[in-house]
């Protein structure tokens, strides 16, 4: 067995069904699928049973412990030389696994990651959120595109690693947020090679509304400070930009009454840039307009989470567990 695809899932049977359907259409067939149900109330077992005769599929149910530990659970039961970790909310093009195999044939690496994109069937809000998380104008372009302001590190929605390397490093930590970046840092720090595979892209649904999206990026902001504490020197300028944007936006809004609104001009111009760029990229004015709140939610949600984490970790000197006891699995 060359590839083992590991999918942790929590209360998302419909999404798992779409992922499994896309796996059943892969041009390359040398793979198994390991689905790990992470204590879900609404399980995907019936969905998995439908693909039992189509895919080389293994389904496991375990108590809730978070996606990182569920990936470790699946990895311990996988047989492939390469472990491919996917989020349950991704859908794969038919040539995904062949693209992975072709690129690995001429690349020397121990772990890799691939980009993500929005599928034409996604809702306008999902497309707007995808734009905000992948656009250069929102710092999202560092997440796996060809143009990056920071060194690339694989993300758990679409990453692969040699099984022996995974086992040597002990897999994912018990961090609730940022555990994939923590793992990527440990891969590099141990002297292993990571690569971006541009052709190994996936359709990534992400969150379905702005409230859930805000909570996701807020937690990412919290995780960024925790990651710096665990891996000193990994925080780069690009990681500070959302916080700078957040502070600047609040300042411009507070100045508006004393400047007859002129202080809001930079925000208006930035919003116009986002709208036009997204509308062109998505061929939809509606998606372009929705990309404005999506980008502000992404940047300010991350920035606010970062500020809270910086205050508790760097000023109050609290450790990562006592500062955010809900951000780690026991």
């Amino acid at each position: 067995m060359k590839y083992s695809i590991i999918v942790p899932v929590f209360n998302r049977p419909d999404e798992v069904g779409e992922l499994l359907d896309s796996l059943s259409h892969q041009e390359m067939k040398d793979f198994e699928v390991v689905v790990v149900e992470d204590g879900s109330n609404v399980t995907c077992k019936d969905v998995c049973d439908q693909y039992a005769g189509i895919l080389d599929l293994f389904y496991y149910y375990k108590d809730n412990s978070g996606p990182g530990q569920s990936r470790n659970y699946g990895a311990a039961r996988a047989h492939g030389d390469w472990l491919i970790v996917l989020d349950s909310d991704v859908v794969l093009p038919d040539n995904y696994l062949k693209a992975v195999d072709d690129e690995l044939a001429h690349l020397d690496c121990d772990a890799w990651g691939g980009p993500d994109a929005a599928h034409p069937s996604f809702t306008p809000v999902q497309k707007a959120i995808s734009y905000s998380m992948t656009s250069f104008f929102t710092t999202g372009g560092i997440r796996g595109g060809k143009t990056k302001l920071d060194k690339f590190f694989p993300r758990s929605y679409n990453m692969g690693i040699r099984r022996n390397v995974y086992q040597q490093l002990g897999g994912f930590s018990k961090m609730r947020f940022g555990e994939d970046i923590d793992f990527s840092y440990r891969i590099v720090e141990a002297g292993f090679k990571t690569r971006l595979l541009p052709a190994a892209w996936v359709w990534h649904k992400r969150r379905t509304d702005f409230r859930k999206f805000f909570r996701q990026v807020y937690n990412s902001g919290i995780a960024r400070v925790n990651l710096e504490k665990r891996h000193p020197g990994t925080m780069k300028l690009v990681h500070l930009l959302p916080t700078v944007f957040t502070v600047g936006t609040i300042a411009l809004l507070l100045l508006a009454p004393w400047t007859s609104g002129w202080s809001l001009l930079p925000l208006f111009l930035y919003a116009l840039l986002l709208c036009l760029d997204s509308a062109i990229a998505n061929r939809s004015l509606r998606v372009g307009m929705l990309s404005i709140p999506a980008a502000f939610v992404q940047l300010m949600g991350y920035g606010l989470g970062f500020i809270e984490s910086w205050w508790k970790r760097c000023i109050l000197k609290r450790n990562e567990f006592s500062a955010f006891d809900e951000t780690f699995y026991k």
Side-chain angles (χ1 to χ4, degrees), residues 76-132:
R77 291 156 177 78
H79 306 93
D81 297 326
W82 284 91
L83 305 180
I84 299 178
V85 176
L86 300 174
D87 280 353
S88 62
D89 61 352
V90 303
V91 179
L92 310 180
D94 294 350
N95 66 339
Y96 169 81
L97 203 58
K98 185 176 185 303
V100 169
D101 199 58
D102 289 345
E103 296 220 40
L104 291 180
H106 64 269
L107 281 180
D108 178 25
C109 69
D110 302 293
W112 55 266
D116 57 342
H119 191 274
S121 67
F122 288 3
T123 68
V125 169
Q126 287 176 315
K127 291 178 181 178
I129 290 174
S130 178
Y131 170 82
S132 74

Side-chain angles (χ1 to χ4, degrees), residues 131 275-284 287:
Y131 170 82
C275 181
L276 292 176
D277 184 59
S278 177
I280 293 172
N282 290 283
R283 299 180 180 180
S284 168
V287 175

Side-chain angles (χ1 to χ4, degrees), residues 64 66 73 86-89 101 123 128 134 196 212 221 244 263:
N64 181 257
Y73 186 97
L86 300 174
D87 280 353
S88 62
D89 61 352
D101 199 58
T123 68
T134 56
L196 167 68
K212 294 177 181 177
V244 173
S263 65

Side-chain angles (χ1 to χ4, degrees), residues 176-189:
R176 189 183 293 259
F177 312 115
E179 81 288 344
D180 54 346
I181 298 302
D182 171 68
F183 189 29
S184 289
Y185 285 157
R186 288 190 284 116
I187 293 170
V188 174
E189 289 165 358

Side-chain angles (χ1 to χ4, degrees), residues 286-302:
R286 184 183 179 189
V287 175
M289 295 179 68
L290 286 170
S291 295
I292 297 173
F296 275 77
V297 166
Q298 183 222 332
L299 291 167
M300 296 193 70
Y302 187 105

Side-chain angles (χ1 to χ4, degrees), residues 68-69 72 111 153-154 159 161 165-175 178-194 227 230-231 234:
Q69 299 308 296
N72 293 344
F153 290 94
M159 72 179 294
I161 182 171
V165 174
Y166 193 107
Q167 293 171 336
Q168 180 177 330
L169 296 176
F172 291 85
S173 72
K174 292 185 178 181
M175 295 178 71
E179 81 288 344
D180 54 346
I181 298 302
D182 171 68
F183 189 29
S184 289
Y185 285 157
R186 288 190 284 116
I187 293 170
V188 174
E189 289 165 358
F192 297 110
K193 295 181 181 178
T194 63
L227 288 167
R230 285 188 167 215
H231 307 276
T234 56

